[in-house]
């Protein structure tokens, strides 16, 4: 890297807009959405989608609620053309969905594009040419005037061919590609030149798409550019202003949101931000950001996991674990304090029925998009006792008493620390089983019987202590008191029971009861034990032996 980067790089010049309005606005409703997954997303794949993959993704986009879908570049290849034809000829497009196609300003390509749309119910023909100084200079070697002529010619060729699309409702779209790197005055000039050809009206609007083809500045600059165009272009009321952001500076979402504040009414993007380089705008994020503000995004992500499945299968891409809303880890807390706060927040939500979601660390309720609470907390060495207890309870119905959580939490953390990785709920349960339930040394239960008369319970127990048989007999006001008495009579360990609780285990191979017992030795030392049995009395005897085995 350069010591003085200003010798090689310079900031993008700001737009002069001292009375900019967008910072004082708020978003109140969803924009029109256009998915460009099948075009911009597809052209960025190492292996572009085949027709059946495109069909599957198209169906998912329709199901999600997209009403405008850029299906491809039909003049670019036979696969693209064939895909268009299948959508139209096999009646795969609902009547309210616009099929959008992209084309450059070349007559032969426009011919083929129009041909690909014959028979469509609704079509958007999207013309583009690149307008930034670098593109004009390096790629085309053309003056501003010549670049305007390219756009105007393309617009005219499209207009001339519209009669071929009888029976098709057509909308026209123009993109000054690389808009965000173009002088706003020139972007306006070329857009107005195209408008002059197409003659849009408030009743037959055209889409003016203003792409942030490559992010070259902060998102506030893009917002200024959008507001500048919205305020300075002729016949604004005959336009649907659209934003199309990429993500080179990782601010594609911010640029779109600020662009909407600045006056845009339509958004182009892809699922999970697939697209050239760092990607297109992630539409899922913008839509769910609106949802988080209580605005109906008009896209349905109730079953986000199956959308992820289709996306990954069709594109061969993977959704990163930290992807907003969709990533595997976004509803997962690793730190103990986060886990604790989430647990309290979820409990408050469930029990107190708050009207508005306000759970710490969770921006939305994961269940709204088909994610599950059990994904919220997983355990690694940074997790607190709360996370451990939550997992055991939510996954296996094991409700550890509070005080026992304090004992088992650090034991589990030590184990996880040794493993040096996150553990699953099943592994955590096994740690609990090893520590409490499966302890048989020195004490092991062989037999335990009770009889009760006039409120007095007598017990007889046959135990093994380090493999040797020990018989006990005792009495008390309950089976456990009788057992404690039996131990003391036989000169066994002397202790008292200081806490007890039990509950049925909801399901699983145990289909049984679990008892938790805390014992206290005469020297004041306490230990928890736990026992599982189909008979609750035996579960509690096992819990006593488990506690003794842990002393
Ligand atoms: O990023 C871009 O500028 C595009 C245009 C073709 C709209 O994808
Ligand atoms: Zn793009």
């Amino acid at each position: 890297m350069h010591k003085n980067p200003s010798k090689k790089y310079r900031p993008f010049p700001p737009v002069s807009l001292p009375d900019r309005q967008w910072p004082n606005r708020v978003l109140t409703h969803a924009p029109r959405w256009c998915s460009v997954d099948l075009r911009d997303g597809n052209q960025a794949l190492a292996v572009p989608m085949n027709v059946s993959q495109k069909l599957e993704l198209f169906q998912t986009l329709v199901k999600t609620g997209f009403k405008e879908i850029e299906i491809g570049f039909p003049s670019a290849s036979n696969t693209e053309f064939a895909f268009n034809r299948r959508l139209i000829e096999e009646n795969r497009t609902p009547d309210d969905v616009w099929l959008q196609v992209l084309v450059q300003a070349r007559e032969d390509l426009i011919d083929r594009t129009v041909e690909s749309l014959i028979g469509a119910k609704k079509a958007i023909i999207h013309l583009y040419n690149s307008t930034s100084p670098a593109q004009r200079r390096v790629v085309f070697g053309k003056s501003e005037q010549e670049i305007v002529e390219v756009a105007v010619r393309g617009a005219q060729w499209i207009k001339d061919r519209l009669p071929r699309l009888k029976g098709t409702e057509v909308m026209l779209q123009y993109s000054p590609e690389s808009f965000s790197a173009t002088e706003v005055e020139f972007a306006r000039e070329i857009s107005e030149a195209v408008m002059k050809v197409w003659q849009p009206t408030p009743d037959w609007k055209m889409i003016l798409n203003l792409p942030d083809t490559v992010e070259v500045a902060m998102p506030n600059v893009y917002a200024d550019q959008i507001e500048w165009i919205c305020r300075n272009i002729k016949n604004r009321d005959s336009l649907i202003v659209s934003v199309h952001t990429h993500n080179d500076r990782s601010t594609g979402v911010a640029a779109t949101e600020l662009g909407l504040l600045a006056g845009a009414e339509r958004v182009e993007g892809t699922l999970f931000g697939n697209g050239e380089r760092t990607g297109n705008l992630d539409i899922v994020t913008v839509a769910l950001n609106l949802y988080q503000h209580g605005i109906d995004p008009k896209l349905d992500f109730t079953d986000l996991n199956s959308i992820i499945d289709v996306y990954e299968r069709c594109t061969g891409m993977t959704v990163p674990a930290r992807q907003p809303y969709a990533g595997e880890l976004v509803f997962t807390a690793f730190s103990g304090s986060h886990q604790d706060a989430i647990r309290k927040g979820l409990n408050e939500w469930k029990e107190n029925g708050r009207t508005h979601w306000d759970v710490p660390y969770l921006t939305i309720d994961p269940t709204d998009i088909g994610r599950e609470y059990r994904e919220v907390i997983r355990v690694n060495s940074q997790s607190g006792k709360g996370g451990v207890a939550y997992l055991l309870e939510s996954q296996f119905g094991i409700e550890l008493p509070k005080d026992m959580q304090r004992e088992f939490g650090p034991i589990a953390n030590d184990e996880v620390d040794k493993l040096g990785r996150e553990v699953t709920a099943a592994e955590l349960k096994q740690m609990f089983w090893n520590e409490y339930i499966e302890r048989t040394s020195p004490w092991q239960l062989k037999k335990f019987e009770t009889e009760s008369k006039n409120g007095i319970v007598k017990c007889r127990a046959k135990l093994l202590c380090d493999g040797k048989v020990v018989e006990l007999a005792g009495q008390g006001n309950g089976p456990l008191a009788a057992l404690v008495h039996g131990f003391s009579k036989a000169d066994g360990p002397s202790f008292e029971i200081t806490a007890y609780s039990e509950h049925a285990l909801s399901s699983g191979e145990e289909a049984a009861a679990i008892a938790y017992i805390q014992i206290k030795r005469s020297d004041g030392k306490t230990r928890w034990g736990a026992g599982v049995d189909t008979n609750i009395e035996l579960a509690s005897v096992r819990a006593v032996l488990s506690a003794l085995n842990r002393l």
Side-chain angles (χ1 to χ4, degrees):
M1 284 179 67
H2 290 262
K3 283 262 174 300
N4 181 359
S6 71
K7 291 209 161 132
K8 186 165 182 184
Y9 302 100
R10 60 193 163 179
F12 189 79
V15 178
S16 169
L17 198 64
D19 60 342
R20 59 180 63 78
Q21 300 297 308
W22 62 262
N24 299 322
R25 300 200 185 119
V26 286
L27 297 180
T28 55
H29 58 273
R32 299 162 73 121
W33 304 107
C34 174
S35 151
V36 295
D37 288 85
L38 300 168
R39 196 278 300 171
D40 221 355
N42 190 43
Q43 74 186 41
L45 296 175
V47 182
M49 287 178 268
N50 59 32
V51 171
S52 60
Q53 287 165 328
K54 280 187 104 176
L55 282 174
E56 186 180 3
L57 192 51
F58 176 81
Q59 265 149 17
T60 300
L61 293 167
V62 167
K63 201 163 149 225
T64 303
F66 284 96
K67 302 292 178 208
E68 296 173 29
I69 302 176
E70 191 164 78
I71 52 175
F73 213 138
S75 61
S77 73
N78 287 338
T79 312
E80 294 277 280
F81 189 89
F83 175 64
N84 265 30
R85 296 313 306 156
R86 279 194 67 179
L87 286 186
I88 296 166
E89 284 163 20
E90 295 173 9
N91 270 328
R92 289 172 180 269
T93 314
D95 287 355
D96 60 347
V97 171
W98 295 83
L99 298 180
Q100 177 167 317
V101 288
L102 183 70
V103 67
Q104 287 162 342
R106 272 183 40 194
E107 195 166 16
D108 53 336
L109 303 185
I110 289 171
D111 269 332
R112 183 96 171 128
T113 302
V114 169
E115 197 187 326
S116 78
L117 287 173
I118 289 173
K121 287 247 162 42
K122 288 180 173 352
I124 301 174
I125 305 178
H126 179 185
L127 170 74
Y128 77 101
N129 68 324
S130 206
T131 54
S132 70
Q135 294 267 357
R136 298 192 307 254
R137 189 184 68 248
V138 179
V139 183
F140 304 107
K142 286 191 193 304
S143 67
E144 288 186 6
Q145 195 43 46
E146 287 167 324
I147 293 286
V148 173
E149 280 161 19
V150 170
V152 167
R153 267 199 309 272
Q156 190 61 51
W157 283 324
I158 290 175
K159 191 174 177 188
D160 292 346
R161 282 151 185 83
L162 290 185
R164 287 199 203 159
L165 291 174
K166 267 207 195 75
T168 301
E169 192 180 346
V170 178
M171 210 167 8
L172 299 178
Q173 169 165 339
Y174 174 66
S175 292
E177 198 212 17
S178 62
F179 160 80
S180 58
T182 302
E183 310 85 337
V184 276
E185 295 81 3
F186 181 59
R188 173 183 59 179
E189 181 188 333
I190 195 164
S191 303
E192 285 180 349
V194 170
M195 289 169 74
K196 207 161 163 203
V197 179
W198 284 347
Q199 295 286 312
T201 66
D203 291 332
W204 187 60
K205 296 187 192 214
M206 67 168 260
I207 300 166
L208 178 62
N209 188 45
L210 301 173
D212 203 2
T213 305
V214 180
E215 286 199 301
V216 290
M218 285 170 56
N220 60 306
V221 174
Y222 184 62
D224 281 350
Q225 292 168 323
I226 300 290
E227 184 171 327
W228 191 95
I229 292 285
C230 286
R231 286 168 56 179
N232 290 291
I233 199 157
K234 276 192 207 139
N235 300 332
R236 167 70 183 89
D237 60 351
S238 301
L239 295 174
I240 296 164
V241 172
S242 172
V243 285
H244 173 118
T245 61
H246 281 258
N247 200 34
D248 302 80
R249 297 167 56 103
S250 200
T251 53
V253 166
T256 285
E257 291 178 335
L258 301 190
L260 289 173
L261 290 178
E265 52 228 303
R266 180 178 185 271
V267 168
E268 292 194 349
T270 58
L271 296 176
F272 316 116
N274 179 43
E276 296 279 11
R277 309 178 306 282
T278 50
N280 278 71
L281 164 81
D282 174 11
I283 276 196
V284 180
T285 297
V286 178
L288 289 173
N289 284 353
L290 289 173
Y291 181 75
Q292 193 219 342
H293 286 185
I295 299 167
D296 175 4
K298 311 268 191 224
L299 288 177
D300 187 1
F301 295 114
T302 305
D303 189 3
L304 192 56
N305 288 338
S306 29
I307 297 176
I308 295 171
D309 282 350
V310 174
Y311 165 81
E312 293 191 337
R313 198 172 45 247
C314 293
T315 63
M317 300 292 293
T318 42
V319 173
R322 300 279 179 206
Q323 180 84 8
Y325 302 104
E328 196 201 328
L329 295 181
V330 297
F331 297 115
T332 302
F334 286 90
S335 112
S337 63
H338 289 209
Q339 291 172 353
D340 191 48
I342 290 170
R343 208 149 62 90
K344 288 177 177 147
L346 290 178
N347 281 342
E348 183 199 51
W349 176 252
K350 267 188 262 163
E351 284 156 22
N352 299 359
R354 289 183 66 88
T355 50
H356 286 88
W357 183 257
D358 194 14
V359 175
Y361 301 109
L362 293 183
T363 54
I364 61 166
D365 184 346
T367 61
D368 288 357
I369 53 172
R371 314 295 299 272
E372 286 176 358
Y373 289 135
R374 76 184 163 77
E375 293 178 341
V376 170
I377 295 176
R378 299 195 299 188
V379 170
N380 65 11
S381 59
Q382 306 302 305
S383 311
K385 60 179 176 12
V388 171
Y390 177 84
L391 258 198
L392 288 177
E393 183 173 343
S394 61
Q395 300 291 292
F396 302 108
I398 298 169
E399 297 165 22
L400 300 188
K402 274 261 166 340
D403 199 50
M404 192 176 190
Q405 293 176 16
R406 277 189 275 278
E407 186 184 272
F408 180 58
I411 295 170
N413 271 1
D414 277 355
E415 290 280 318
V416 178
D417 216 15
K418 271 186 227 144
L419 288 171
R421 59 168 171 83
E422 179 190 312
V423 290
T424 63
E427 287 175 309
L428 204 59
K429 181 187 165 201
Q430 192 53 52
M431 285 176 202
F432 182 78
W433 248 236
N434 294 345
E435 180 64 33
Y436 294 94
I437 310 289
E438 288 166 357
R439 286 234 183 198
T440 52
S441 170
W443 294 100
Q444 198 178 348
L445 178 67
K446 289 312 237 181
K447 206 169 178 186
F448 184 80
E449 286 167 348
T450 52
E451 65 183 60
S452 101
K453 216 172 176 186
N454 303 329
I456 302 288
V457 177
K458 291 187 176 171
C459 80
R460 302 181 68 77
K462 186 174 168 189
L463 310 172
L464 292 182
C465 181
D466 283 330
K468 282 198 211 109
V469 175
V470 177
E471 309 248 10
L472 301 180
Q475 65 176 50
N477 56 5
L480 289 182
L483 179 66
V484 174
H485 180 232
F487 268 112
S488 66
K489 267 176 50 192
D491 269 348
S494 117
F495 60 93
E496 59 177 308
I497 289 174
T498 42
Y500 172 81
S501 72
E502 35 123 320
H503 62 82
L505 278 172
S506 44
S507 62
E509 74 275 18
E510 299 88 12
I514 183 162
Y516 312 96
I517 279 176
Q518 189 190 47
I519 62 171
K520 186 167 155 195
R521 248 182 3 196
S522 43
D523 62 3
K525 191 166 175 182
T526 59
R527 274 289 179 274
W528 280 92
V532 170
D533 202 292
T534 46
N535 174 317
I536 187 59
E537 193 171 285
L538 292 183
S540 47
V541 172
R542 290 184 191 285
V544 171
L545 298 186
S546 149
L548 284 174
N549 287 338
R550 299 187 59 255
L551 262 175

